[in-house]
Amino acid sequence: MGIVRSAREAEAAELTGLLARSAAGDTAAFAELYDKTSSRVYGMVLRVIRDSGFAEETTQEVFLQVWRTADKFDPTKGSAVSWLMVLAQRRAIDRVRTEQSNTDREVTYEVNNHRDEFDQVTEEVWRRIEQQAVLDCLDRLTDAQREAVALAYYGGLSYRETAVSLGVALPTVKSRIRDGLIRLRACLGVI
């Protein structure tokens, strides 16, 4: 156990020194720091991003940030490896958010600008068929279930407000709504 601890302490001291030398512009120290830590940084980034190409790019960005901000490392606040892992995780999360934002923007653009040729009459017919199916299934509920479901879902009332409106206990309303929804799902063929 003592051997492992002393090896970790020696590595921590070595990496701290390499960071300090990198902050002073020593490219050889930076190259050595990269060689000793890049696989760990890449592993952290890959766990977050889950795409090897993006993980490689992001790892490069992390080390570019390290080169530019090595002077910001404070060994009193943690180890060099911890500092690198925090930078890597933050950069990876930023990358995921950026990619998600880009995807969302593209989807929104496509949805808003897609000129789908569809038949409005057919669309209206399907909407009415679905509406009639729901109404038919609502007719198959008991009066108590139908009234509770209608107040909660069509009237926008909470369970508590529905209970007050119907003058029954809250658990009774919850049971009626749950049972009604189960019957609706079965009637509509929804799993």
Side-chain angles (χ1 to χ4, degrees):
M1 198 64 131
I3 296 171
V4 172
R5 183 176 298 147
S6 64
R8 283 185 184 163
E9 290 170 357
E11 180 192 44
E14 180 183 17
L15 294 177
T16 298
L18 290 172
L19 270 172
R21 289 174 40 208
S22 295
D26 184 341
T27 56
F30 181 73
E32 190 175 344
L33 175 71
Y34 179 87
D35 290 341
K36 292 184 180 290
T37 60
S38 62
S39 62
R40 288 183 265 186
V41 169
Y42 174 77
M44 165 62 81
V45 171
L46 185 61
R47 279 192 296 277
V48 174
I49 294 179
R50 299 184 189 276
D51 179 281
S52 61
F54 284 140
E56 289 170 3
E57 289 176 18
T58 305
T59 299
Q60 288 177 346
E61 293 169 7
V62 169
F63 279 100
L64 182 59
Q65 182 180 2
V66 169
W67 175 251
R68 290 179 180 159
T69 63
D71 61 327
K72 304 278 190 250
F73 171 67
D74 183 356
T76 63
K77 293 183 178 177
S79 71
V81 171
S82 296
W83 186 67
L84 289 169
M85 292 299 115
V86 167
L87 292 178
Q89 184 180 32
R90 287 179 181 166
R91 182 66 64 155
I93 289 170
D94 287 346
R95 182 63 176 257
V96 169
R97 287 179 179 157
T98 299
E99 291 303 317
Q100 184 60 51
S101 178
N102 290 341
T103 300
D104 292 347
R105 234 184 339 274
E106 289 173 11
V107 168
T108 300
Y109 178 82
E110 285 296 319
V111 166
N112 291 334
N113 295 303
H114 183 68
R115 300 290 181 230
D116 192 16
E117 295 181 19
F118 69 94
D119 184 358
Q120 288 182 341
V121 174
T122 303
E123 184 78 19
E124 180 62 21
V125 167
W126 277 112
R127 190 188 65 73
R128 287 185 183 184
I129 289 171
E130 290 171 350
Q131 184 180 29
Q132 189 58 50
V134 170
L135 291 173
D136 291 343
C137 288
L138 279 171
D139 284 341
R140 295 183 183 175
L141 300 180
T142 66
D143 290 340
Q145 289 171 341
R146 183 176 36 259
E147 190 174 25
V149 168
L151 286 173
Y153 288 92
Y154 295 112
L157 299 181
S158 68
Y159 285 178
R160 185 171 308 285
E161 292 168 333
T162 302
V164 169
S165 178
L166 296 175
V168 296
L170 181 60
T172 303
V173 165
K174 288 181 178 181
S175 294
R176 288 178 184 175
I177 292 172
R178 184 192 69 241
D179 294 344
L181 291 177
I182 289 170
R183 289 181 72 177
L184 281 174
R185 270 187 243 134
C187 178
L188 292 170
V190 177
I191 296 174

